[in-house]
Structures are given as C-alpha cells and as structure tokens.
Amino acid sequence: MDHFLYRNGVLHAEDVAVPDIAAVVGTPFYLYSAATLRRHYRLFADGLEGLPHLVCYAMKANSNQAVLKLLGDLGAGMDVVSGGEYARARAAGIPGERIVFSGIGKTRAEMRMALEGGIRQVNLESEPEMRVLSEVAVSMGKVVPVTVRVNPDVDAKTHEKIATGKKENKFGIPIARAREVYAEAAALPGLDVVGIDVHIGSQLTDLQPFRDAYGLLASLTRQLRADGHDIRRLDLGGGLGIPYERSNSAPPLPVEYCAMVREVLGDLDCEIEIEPGRLIAGNAGILVSEVIYLKHGEGRDFLILDAAMNDLIRPSMYSSYHEIVAVHEPAAGVPLAPVDIVGPVCESGDTFARDRAMPPLAAGDLVAFRSAGAYGAVMASEYNTRPLVPEVLVQDDQFAVIRPRPTFDEIISRDRVPAWL
C-alpha cells in the first residue's frame, strides 16, 4: 500500500495534489510520502514484536537526511555500506549503537570513523578485512562487536546484478569455512564476535530462498555455539521485494516474512537484525516528469520526457519495470496506444519503456513513475550536466523540498581549472 492516489481525477501524494508541487518545484522531481515510509517500517517492527530485534534500514536505498530522521525517530537502526553513509546516519541523529556497518571493502579510514563515532557492530566479509579491523581496533584501544557474513550458496532467483548469496558472488565467506574463520576471529584482539550475518540478494519475490538460507544459519549457530562462540545476534540482511508491476502476483508481505523468521530462528534465543531498504522506501516514492514532445517515428511513437536515465537508471541498468501513469487520470475507456517512453540524454539506453500502452499525452502533461523511492535519487548522476533531481517530502497536506535542484553555476563551480591553463 502507498499514499499516491487519484482524487477528483488528479494524482495526490497524501493530501497534496502532485501538479501543485510541480508548479512550485519544477520537473523532474522525486516525491516521497512520510505516511508510507512510517507504515512500511512499522510492518517489520510489528511483525517481529515479542522477539528481541532491531530493524536497520538499508540506507543505500534512499539516504536523504529527512528520510533517515523520520525512520530514526521511529526507532530504526541503520545499515551503512560506506563512510559517507555512516556520516549521513550520524548527521541525521542516529546513535552509533543503532548503526551496523556492512560492505566488502571497508577501508582503515572508514573503520576508524566508525570506532570513533560509535558502532553497533561491523559485519566482516573476509579474513583480510577481519585482520585489518583487529589492527585498527587495537591501535585505538577499542573492542568492536563483529559478525562474519557467510555465503550460503543459495540462489535467490533474482536479477544477477543484485544476487549476493551464491558461491560465485563476491560477498561473505563460504559457509563451509565458517567454523575455521570464526576460530580465527575469536582469537584476534580487539574483536568481540557477537553473531552471524547473511544476505542473499535484493528484490526477492519468494520466501523459500530466505527459508533455505536461514535454515543453514540456524544449523551454523548451533555448530558455532558448540565450538564455544557466544552467538547472540543474527543479522538476516534484507532483500524482500516490492510489486513494481501491479498486474503480476504480489511478493510476500512483511508479516509473512516475519512469521517465517519466527518459525525458522525463533527458538535460538538470538537478537534478530533485519535490513530492509527497498520495501520501506520503494513504494513510498514516485518520480514526476513532464512530457517535452510526442515524436512520431518510423513505425513507432516516442514520448520524450524531461526525466532521463541519469535521474532513474534502473530501467537502463537492470531492464527494470516501473509503472508509469498520467498525473491527470485518463477518462474511463479512453483508448491506449503503444509508445516508447524515453528521456533526452544522448544514449539509446535512455529508454524507460518500449511499446508501453499509454493514454493520449501531449507536451506539458505530467507523468509519474511509481515505486521510485528506492535506488532512484541515490543512483542519480549529473551526466550531460543535468542537475540532480530535487527530492520532496509530503506529510498530510504539507510538503517540503528536502534536496534542492542545484543550479548550473553550482555544478560548474565545483570544477577547478589549474593556474597554468
């Protein structure tokens, strides 16, 4: 469920008409619903109620400060994968004890940043990283809680670019080697081994891969405890998918996911950590764009928008589907016609959809890309010197720009021309 609905023929975000925002902000822009963000977080928090747990929002999905503060005020932790994300989380007021540091390539500088600012735990991905963190912690006189990410070789049956739990992926250590790696971790100074970490991929639409991975995790927990390790936290990662294409069958609901977690892991007396990102933010946001031209080509028509692949790269990078709707609701029974929906960037890959059935649209009309709240603004670039898209947050009947569109002067002023030119 989201809070983007038609009222009197006009798409609204909560209680604000989308065209009213466009008139103030200009297009294109990202638009987020505070009510949807809160609702999606609470689905997980309520689903795990009664189990010791922490819902750590995977902020790589959408790391705007306003989004982080909104979720942090609800009690969310944060899953960060870079020093920059750690700094963003702290700037948003998230305490260090609610921040989990993931990612396969943490540098010494990032480790020091986390240890200085406070960290709930570091999820280790390799033996070299484990040894470096030990050196950094000892040099700072610190002891850092850690988990080791295990790769269970479970096929998540998702897009190959976002699968992370198979043996050919770069993430984690093979689960078959977990016991020897944990023995080394326990012997290293400066590390406090507190749990196990696993994450098998993103946009999963079936619970069975989760069930398979978590079953292996339960067995490993018992083995490691028998070896003398005090395993008291299980970091389950994220990955639960959202319904980008509404005509397809819906992915499992958070309540179903949480029930499965209870069934498979509930008897281990461990604190459960989960790291949803897409499911919290994805359907909480839309990308609003204006039609520039309707171009009649050879055998096909092109709907040319002012949004481009640099604003929303998922269709170009992953061949991803986004539902694209007219902001002004078409009349019932209006005929639809196939168009290619494209942006103005000088790349053939700047294509959002091919042969998409759309109502009649003309220059100046507004369209909205649904399910654009995750991996949209965070993956945007200034390719073709196109300014980053502004972000707007709605709550009830009010809205605020939470990241402004930069001017050309601001973009160009970041360049530095050497004195000798």
Side-chain angles (χ1 to χ4, degrees):
M1 176 185 170
D2 60 48
H3 292 77
F4 300 98
L5 302 170
Y6 288 108
R7 294 186 186 178
N8 299 318
V10 178
L11 188 65
H12 280 61
E14 300 189 26
D15 297 327
V16 184
V18 171
D20 292 348
I21 301 174
V24 174
V25 178
T27 57
F29 63 93
Y30 279 99
L31 179 58
Y32 310 131
S33 160
T36 308
L37 288 165
R38 290 189 178 100
R39 179 181 184 276
H40 289 171
Y41 167 79
R42 287 176 177 136
L43 288 174
F44 286 107
D46 293 347
L48 293 175
E49 189 174 3
L51 282 179
H53 72 274
L54 181 64
V55 179
C56 292
Y57 170 62
M59 54 182 281
K60 62 181 178 286
N62 184 321
S63 59
N64 189 284
Q65 289 283 285
V67 172
L68 303 185
K69 184 179 187 309
L70 182 153
L71 295 172
D73 287 350
L74 296 175
M78 296 290 151
D79 171 52
V80 307
V81 293
S82 71
E85 286 194 346
Y86 178 86
R88 277 185 172 272
R90 296 294 283 124
I94 311 300
E97 59 266 25
R98 297 212 314 256
I99 301 176
V100 172
F101 205 145
S102 302
I104 71 164
K106 307 175 197 73
T107 65
R108 290 175 183 267
E110 289 174 322
M111 292 174 180
R112 284 192 292 271
M113 176 189 294
L115 296 188
E116 287 171 354
I119 195 76
R120 175 180 174 83
Q121 75 197 37
V122 175
N123 293 338
L124 297 168
E125 297 252 8
S126 68
E127 291 144 292
E129 181 192 27
M130 183 170 70
R131 295 163 192 151
V132 168
L133 180 61
S134 171
E135 292 175 10
V136 171
V138 169
S139 72
M140 298 176 66
K142 303 275 191 179
V143 176
V144 55
V146 300
T147 71
V148 177
R149 179 172 178 176
V150 296
N151 187 321
D153 193 25
V154 168
D155 186 357
K157 295 180 171 52
T158 187
H159 193 286
E160 63 178 7
K161 292 184 179 179
I162 51 176
T164 62
K166 298 178 69 176
K167 61 184 178 182
E168 63 264 30
N169 299 138
K170 66 182 180 180
F171 301 94
I173 56 111
I175 196 168
R177 296 190 55 244
R179 294 175 74 185
E180 63 182 275
V181 173
Y182 268 82
E184 180 180 354
L188 286 172
L191 305 185
D192 176 20
V193 179
V194 299
I196 312 172
D197 174 39
V198 68
H199 174 63
I200 61 173
S202 184
Q203 188 51 21
L204 274 74
T205 57
D206 181 5
L207 288 181
Q208 192 59 48
F210 287 120
R211 184 181 292 273
D212 294 342
Y214 297 167
L216 294 171
L217 191 64
S219 296
L220 179 60
T221 299
R222 296 184 180 98
Q223 287 180 333
L224 292 177
R225 283 175 169 172
D227 290 345
H229 301 286
D230 182 15
I231 302 299
R232 51 195 186 271
R233 288 182 194 164
L234 298 179
D235 186 329
L236 308 183
L240 191 60
I242 65 173
Y244 284 100
E245 196 165 355
R246 299 187 180 212
S247 60
N248 290 352
S249 58
L253 297 172
V255 66
E256 297 169 311
Y257 168 83
C258 292
M260 180 272 298
V261 169
R262 289 177 183 275
E263 178 187 343
V264 179
L265 302 170
D267 64 343
L268 291 174
D269 192 27
C270 281
E271 184 176 16
I272 300 297
E273 298 166 336
I274 59 171
E275 295 159 358
R278 187 192 308 267
L279 201 144
I280 289 177
N283 285 333
I286 60 175
L287 171 63
V288 180
S289 181
E290 182 177 309
V291 177
I292 304 176
Y293 303 114
L294 176 62
K295 175 182 175 181
H296 300 292
E298 187 70 30
R300 64 179 59 236
D301 291 339
F302 297 90
L303 198 66
I304 303 172
L305 307 181
D306 64 359
M309 62 184 286
N310 69 294
D311 304 316
L312 178 63
I313 201 169
R314 296 187 69 257
S316 179
M317 179 177 287
Y318 304 119
S319 300
S320 299
Y321 181 98
H322 283 268
E323 184 181 4
I324 304 171
V325 300
V327 167
H328 287 89
E329 187 174 22
V334 67
L336 306 181
V339 292
D340 285 9
I341 304 175
V342 302
V345 160
C346 293
E347 301 275 354
S348 294
D350 187 21
T351 298
F352 296 115
R354 297 189 186 278
D355 292 324
R356 182 71 62 86
M358 295 293 290
L361 291 166
D365 289 340
L366 298 176
V367 298
F369 292 73
R370 289 191 176 272
S371 308
Y375 306 106
V378 288
M379 297 182 76
S381 75
E382 292 177 343
Y383 187 45
N384 285 189
T385 310
R386 290 172 47 84
L388 290 175
V389 173
E391 296 173 89
V392 179
L393 182 67
V394 165
Q395 180 168 284
D396 300 326
D397 61 353
Q398 57 188 339
F399 70 90
V401 175
I402 57 175
R403 186 183 72 183
R405 191 191 317 272
T407 66
F408 291 128
D409 285 345
E410 288 170 335
I411 295 171
I412 296 167
S413 70
R414 297 199 299 265
D415 297 346
R416 296 291 182 269
V417 178
W420 41 263
L421 280 182

